[in-house]
Amino acid sequence: MDNPEEAFELRGMDLMAKRGLDFETLLNEDALTVRIKCNKTGFKAVTLPLIVQVENINDNPPTFAKEEYVLEIDELMPINSSIGLIEATDLDSDLLYYSLDPSTSKYFRLQTENYPKLLVQKIVEFDVIQKMTLILYVQDTPISTELDEPSFTATTTIQVNVRDIDNRPPWFQPCNKAQVGIAKLCYSSGYKGRVNLTEKVEGPLQLQPGPVYAKDGDKSRNEPISYRILKGNEDTIFEIDENTGNITMLKAADIAGPITLTVLASQVTNRDQFAIASVTIEVMKKSRNPPRFEKERYEAYVYTTSGPDNMVMRDKTSNRPFRVKARDEDFLTGTNPDIRYEVQYSSYVNVTTDGFVVLKKAVKTESFALQLRAVDITTGESGTAALSVQVIPVPDQSPSDGYRAGDMALLGFIMAALLVMCLIVIGVLISKLRKGNANALKLSECLGPCLKLQPRRRPRDSMQFTNDGFMTEGGDPSRGGGLPPRRSSGPDRRPDSIKTARARALIRERQKSPCSSCGSNRTSQANHVPAGSSPAKARLGPTGQIRSILAKGKKRDERQKSVWFKESADTSEIQVEIIPDNIGLKPSPEEDVESLDADSTSSLPTESEMELGELTAMITQQDMAVQVDNSEEDKEDEKENGDKEDQ
């Protein structure tokens, strides 16, 4: 009997396996051939081949060649780039199922579950992560295999190291970081320094915020950097060290003002990686005096209830804020506009640019001390002073002790509103006066004597008072009614027909009859009225009080007479007539007798004639005063013209 690998034996008529058969040890043969030879006496021997089929079962787990794999990759590899292929083997099957631990698969993924090729899922940056560990699982059955089926798994660890590539230029320090897409930038605000005019500084210049220094933007590479001045050093005043970046002076600056240098920093091994920064050096006149506080020590106070943004008080009894001031004797007034104040050694307060100290938070101690510093930002010189702040309780104040800031603000608002309203009213009044309203001027002239005010001077031709308003449209020229009536903007105040007839009769009588006392005609007296004076003057009554001689519409005192104004060719002349009350009326028998008595005594002046004389004298005096004023004004004008011609 041919018995391969001595795996079988005969027990009677049965073929038995002597040991367990392993499919994986059969040299990839899935069948064994057993030849059984049968012998019988008197017969020919017969050989019977028997094929034993061995079925493969899942009895072996998959395995990886290594327990840990190490991969080296470059940063910024594109997405879907392959970083490696790691496979497992299984003696039972040729199909395995792979997966990555989700907690470690943020940046990578498998191409398929049956093909464990690692691909980039997210761009890896060296600045973010330099090393990561992946866990790879393998299973010889599908992941959804039911529990009753045998299944075997295996795991391995993959260590991924990220290499930093030369992808960033040098960065000047300090710098402000920014990101554009996946690219990271770090830009510098530049450097600043100061030197005195006509003075050469020995050694490296002191710059702010520090010396010129740049480093490679790729952290792990740290390529060497070299420096040079590209622009701004045309007068060769400065020099920069190629290796360190320190700037020194070759000679003194002879012109005041800023000098801006453009500095280049580049990699020694790769000049394509470079950066540029500006260095501004201020050349100024030398300062002789640093800022100094008015006192070396100050005391101030805060209330126990004071909180953030409350000011520190100057004393205990008032609400005046505490303020410090530093003087600079380099300035004539002692005030340097470039002084800035700082607080040192305290977190309770801040100081404003005006020197007021303001709380940042509530004070929980009984007192605290700090140091104030005044810095001249143009020269860097400074002065210090000590400040001690005491915490005191809030004093009891009555409403009369002071006003709050809100009260003062409300009062200021009300005063401002009242001021605006007054300005508006004054503007309206000035506008009306400038318009030259005739009625307003008339009213002011009439009320001027009563209010003891002088009316505004105006040209003589600007306004005329005539007697046309007292005449009818068809008046007789011989009786003073030939002029047509003048219409005015004011209401019509013409008297009735009886008073008009009386006025005409009086004018005709006075133009014809001679004066009994002097023999001259009682013609109307033309008088000049000064500009700005009232054409209708008041006269004194029996008691010395001022009475208007234009009063009408009411019963007048018998001593009061009407006045008649007549326009002449010269607009500055006014003819005045005294109008008796009984003119134009039919006399009664008693009045006829009185008229006869009056004729017999015509040589004596009547009361009416006396009043007419008083009025005429008063107007003549005014006219003479106006002529004197005009002559003085003419002399002053001639004197001014002569002075101008002499000049």
Side-chain angles (χ1 to χ4, degrees):
M1 180 180 73
D2 294 336
N3 189 4
E5 300 182 6
E6 298 299 325
F8 300 98
E9 66 179 356
L10 287 175
R11 292 180 183 178
M13 298 298 294
D14 297 328
L15 180 66
M16 303 293 294
K18 294 172 61 177
R19 57 181 176 83
L21 300 177
D22 190 358
F23 181 83
E24 289 76 22
T25 62
L26 296 179
L27 301 177
N28 295 327
E29 294 182 2
D30 57 354
L32 297 175
T33 301
V34 180
R35 295 181 184 278
I36 300 175
K37 187 177 180 180
C38 297
N39 295 319
K40 188 176 182 181
T41 305
F43 292 93
K44 184 179 179 179
V46 178
T47 301
L48 180 64
L50 182 63
I51 299 174
V52 179
Q53 187 76 30
V54 180
E55 183 179 355
N56 187 18
I57 63 173
N58 186 15
D59 58 346
N60 294 293
T63 58
F64 287 99
K66 299 179 182 180
E67 292 183 358
E68 183 177 5
Y69 295 84
V70 178
L71 300 178
E72 299 285 340
I73 66 171
D74 293 335
E75 67 169 334
L76 305 178
M77 290 185 66
I79 296 177
N80 294 327
S81 298
S82 175
I83 65 171
L85 176 63
I86 299 176
E87 292 182 295
T89 59
D90 189 353
L91 298 178
D92 295 327
S93 174
D94 59 351
L95 185 61
L96 298 175
Y97 301 91
Y98 299 88
S99 64
L100 284 173
D101 188 343
S103 62
T104 63
S105 61
K106 180 179 179 181
Y107 291 94
F108 305 99
R109 65 179 179 87
L110 297 176
Q111 183 170 345
T112 64
E113 66 176 358
N114 302 119
Y115 188 60
K117 188 174 185 179
L118 293 173
L119 303 178
V120 177
Q121 180 174 252
K122 182 180 179 181
I123 293 178
V124 181
E125 297 183 54
F126 182 82
D127 294 339
V128 178
I129 188 169
Q130 296 83 36
K131 183 186 294 186
M132 63 191 77
T133 301
L134 306 178
I135 298 177
L136 179 62
Y137 296 98
V138 63
Q139 186 173 331
D140 57 6
T141 59
I143 298 176
S144 59
T145 302
E146 297 180 1
L147 297 179
D148 56 351
E149 295 184 16
S151 178
F152 298 93
T153 62
T155 61
T156 188
T157 302
I158 304 173
Q159 187 73 36
V160 181
N161 297 325
V162 182
R163 291 190 296 263
D164 190 10
I165 63 175
D166 188 12
N167 66 307
R168 293 197 178 105
W171 288 349
F172 283 97
Q173 302 299 314
C175 60
N176 303 311
K177 292 185 178 181
Q179 185 166 352
V180 180
I182 62 173
K184 288 187 176 180
L185 309 175
C186 197
Y187 60 92
S188 172
S189 300
Y191 303 87
K192 295 181 179 181
R194 301 181 184 91
V195 296
N196 292 328
L197 184 66
T198 67
E199 289 186 6
K200 178 185 175 182
V201 178
E202 299 296 335
L205 296 180
Q206 299 296 321
L207 304 177
Q208 295 295 334
V212 176
Y213 172 69
K215 66 178 183 180
D216 191 355
D218 302 310
K219 291 183 178 180
S220 65
R221 300 186 68 88
N222 197 22
E223 297 287 345
I225 308 297
S226 64
Y227 306 89
R228 61 178 297 186
I229 297 176
L230 293 180
K231 185 181 178 182
N233 196 28
E234 288 77 10
D235 296 333
T236 63
I237 299 175
F238 304 98
E239 183 183 32
I240 189 169
D241 188 288
E242 184 178 355
N243 297 320
T244 63
N246 290 331
I247 298 178
T248 56
M249 294 186 70
L250 298 177
K251 60 182 180 180
D254 55 358
I255 299 177
I259 299 177
T260 302
L261 306 177
T262 302
V263 177
L264 171 70
S266 61
Q267 293 182 6
V268 175
T269 58
N270 184 7
R271 296 293 181 181
D272 291 333
Q273 298 289 9
F274 64 90
I276 294 176
S278 64
V279 180
T280 303
I281 300 175
E282 189 75 25
V283 181
M284 62 183 63
K285 296 180 180 180
K286 186 176 181 180
S287 174
R288 300 181 181 274
N289 299 283
R292 294 185 182 276
F293 284 95
E294 296 175 343
K295 297 180 181 179
E296 293 184 357
R297 301 187 63 86
Y298 292 92
E299 291 185 358
Y301 304 89
V302 295
Y303 296 131
T304 54
T305 58
S306 298
D309 298 332
N310 288 131
M311 286 188 174
V312 176
M313 297 295 105
R314 180 178 176 180
D315 49 51
K316 298 180 180 180
T317 58
S318 68
N319 290 329
R320 290 181 297 175
F322 172 76
R323 184 181 184 182
V324 294
K325 184 178 181 181
R327 293 179 56 84
D328 191 341
E329 299 301 331
D330 291 335
F331 292 80
L332 181 61
T333 60
T335 302
N336 185 351
D338 296 321
I339 288 181
R340 298 295 181 268
Y341 298 99
E342 299 176 357
V343 173
Q344 295 179 328
Y345 316 126
S346 177
S347 60
Y348 281 118
V349 296
N350 278 332
V351 60
T352 66
T353 56
D354 297 324
F356 293 102
V357 181
V358 182
L359 286 175
K360 294 168 56 179
K361 58 183 179 180
V363 182
K364 299 181 180 179
T365 61
E366 295 181 356
S367 64
F368 62 94
L370 55 97
Q371 181 171 279
L372 297 173
R373 182 168 178 257
V375 183
D376 187 342
I377 60 176
T378 59
T379 63
E381 297 176 322
S382 63
T384 59
L387 173 62
S388 176
V389 181
Q390 301 291 329
V391 181
I392 60 176
V394 180
D396 296 333
Q397 291 185 352
S398 61
S400 60
D401 291 338
Y403 296 96
R404 296 177 298 176
D407 299 334
M408 300 304 296
L410 179 60
L411 178 61
F413 176 77
I414 295 174
M415 296 298 294
L418 293 175
L419 178 60
V420 171
M421 293 177 62
C422 292
L423 291 176
I424 293 174
V425 172
I426 293 172
V428 172
L429 294 177
I430 292 175
S431 176
K432 289 186 176 181
L433 291 176
R434 286 184 176 178
K435 290 181 180 179
N437 188 297
N439 292 332
L441 288 174
K442 289 180 181 180
L443 181 60
S444 64
E445 290 175 347
C446 292
L447 297 179
C450 298
L451 300 178
K452 304 299 182 181
L453 299 175
Q454 289 293 336
R456 187 176 59 182
R457 294 182 64 88
R458 56 182 176 84
R460 296 178 179 180
D461 297 338
S462 62
M463 185 173 295
Q464 302 170 3
F465 294 87
T466 69
N467 58 350
D468 296 340
F470 295 94
M471 300 182 182
T472 59
E473 296 182 358
D476 186 1
S478 63
R479 300 172 62 89
L483 295 176
R486 182 182 299 270
R487 299 185 61 87
S488 63
S489 58
D492 190 4
R493 299 183 180 273
R494 290 179 295 181
D496 52 21
S497 59
I498 297 177
K499 293 183 179 181
T500 302
R502 293 172 58 188
R504 290 177 180 173
L506 177 61
I507 293 173
R508 184 169 55 254
E509 178 182 357
R510 294 302 174 91
Q511 289 178 349
K512 293 180 180 180
S513 61
C515 179
S516 60
S517 61
C518 59
S520 61
N521 293 332
R522 294 179 181 175
T523 57
S524 300
Q525 302 296 326
N527 298 282
H528 294 282
V529 180
S533 63
S534 176
K537 292 290 181 177
R539 67 183 182 84
L540 293 175
T543 60
Q545 298 179 351
I546 297 176
R547 297 182 182 179
S548 174
I549 59 177
L550 294 178
K552 59 180 180 294
K554 294 182 179 181
K555 184 176 182 180
R556 299 186 303 271
D557 185 71
E558 62 181 5
R559 296 185 60 184
Q560 296 179 358
K561 303 297 180 179
S562 298
V563 179
W564 187 267
F565 293 87
K566 182 177 180 181
E567 187 180 23
S568 64
D570 186 357
T571 57
S572 64
E573 295 182 355
I574 299 178
Q575 296 181 0
V576 183
E577 292 289 343
I578 301 300
I579 305 173
D581 294 337
N582 58 357
I583 186 69
L585 298 178
K586 184 178 181 180
S588 60
E590 293 80 5
E591 292 176 349
D592 291 338
V593 175
E594 292 176 0
S595 63
L596 292 176
D597 297 337
D599 291 338
S600 62
T601 60
S602 59
S603 61
L604 298 176
T606 62
E607 182 182 359
S608 175
E609 292 172 348
M610 293 176 65
E611 291 178 351
L612 178 60
E614 293 175 358
L615 183 59
T616 303
M618 180 171 49
I619 295 175
T620 303
Q621 291 177 0
Q622 294 176 356
D623 184 55
M624 293 176 64
V626 171
Q627 291 177 358
V628 172
D629 294 339
N630 293 337
S631 63
E632 291 178 355
E633 292 177 357
D634 294 338
K635 290 179 181 179
E636 292 177 357
D637 294 338
E638 291 176 359
K639 183 178 180 181
E640 292 177 357
N641 294 333
D643 294 340
K644 293 181 179 179
E645 291 176 358
D646 294 338
Q647 293 176 359

